[in-house]
Amino acid sequence: PEKLSQIKSKFFFTELNAFFDAGLAWNNGDKIEFKTNPTLLRYDYVKDASGNQVFDSSGNPIKTPVYSKVPALSAGISMRVNLFGYFVLEPYLAFPFNRTDIGKPVFGLGFTPGW
C-alpha cells in the first residue's frame, strides 16, 4: 500500500521479508527424526534400473548408506521485486541451521511468474 511505502514507485513494487523455513522429503517407510544430524540406519545393496544387484570391478556388491530423514531448517531475508508486472525477481540470503556441509550463509535468486 502507498501509505506504508518508504519509496514510492509506479513500476517496481517490492516487499522485504524475514523468514523461517523448514522442509523435509521422505518416502513411505523412512524414519523421520527431529534432531540436528541424521542417524545411520543400515547399508543397502545398490541395484540398477532392472532391479539387478550392482558389483564393483572386483566383483564385490556395492552398498550405500541409508540414513534417517531430518528436516532442513533455515532463516533469512528476501526481497521480492515485481518487474513491470511481468515476473517477480526474488534475491534471498538464508542461514541454514542444521547443515554441516555449509559453513556460511547461502545466497540465491528466484524468478517466478507471479506475486
Side-chain angles (χ1 to χ4, degrees):
E2 258 190 68
K3 292 178 185 178
L4 301 175
S5 298
Q6 295 298 317
I7 301 170
K8 308 241 187 284
S9 172
K10 294 182 192 248
F11 301 107
F12 298 111
F13 300 106
T14 64
E15 71 180 17
L16 185 62
N17 305 295
F19 66 86
F20 174 80
D21 193 18
L24 179 67
W26 73 93
N27 290 317
N28 189 18
D30 285 347
K31 182 178 180 184
I32 298 171
E33 298 179 320
F34 293 96
K35 58 184 204 173
T36 306
N37 294 315
T39 304
L40 176 62
L41 301 174
R42 66 183 181 281
Y43 286 92
D44 280 349
Y45 292 105
V46 176
K47 295 184 179 180
D48 63 13
S50 302
N52 300 320
Q53 196 168 347
V54 178
F55 297 90
D56 63 13
S57 59
S58 303
N60 298 320
I62 298 175
K63 293 193 252 181
T64 184
V66 176
Y67 292 95
S68 62
K69 302 295 181 173
V70 175
L73 307 171
S74 66
I77 57 171
S78 72
M79 182 174 68
R80 293 184 188 143
V81 180
N82 186 330
L83 296 175
F84 307 109
Y86 290 106
F87 67 93
V88 175
L89 183 67
E90 182 180 12
Y92 65 87
L93 186 65
F95 299 88
F97 294 132
N98 59 343
R99 294 278 307 265
T100 56
D101 58 333
I102 298 174
K104 56 186 172 184
V106 177
F107 175 77
L109 187 60
F111 296 90
T112 56
W115 200 259

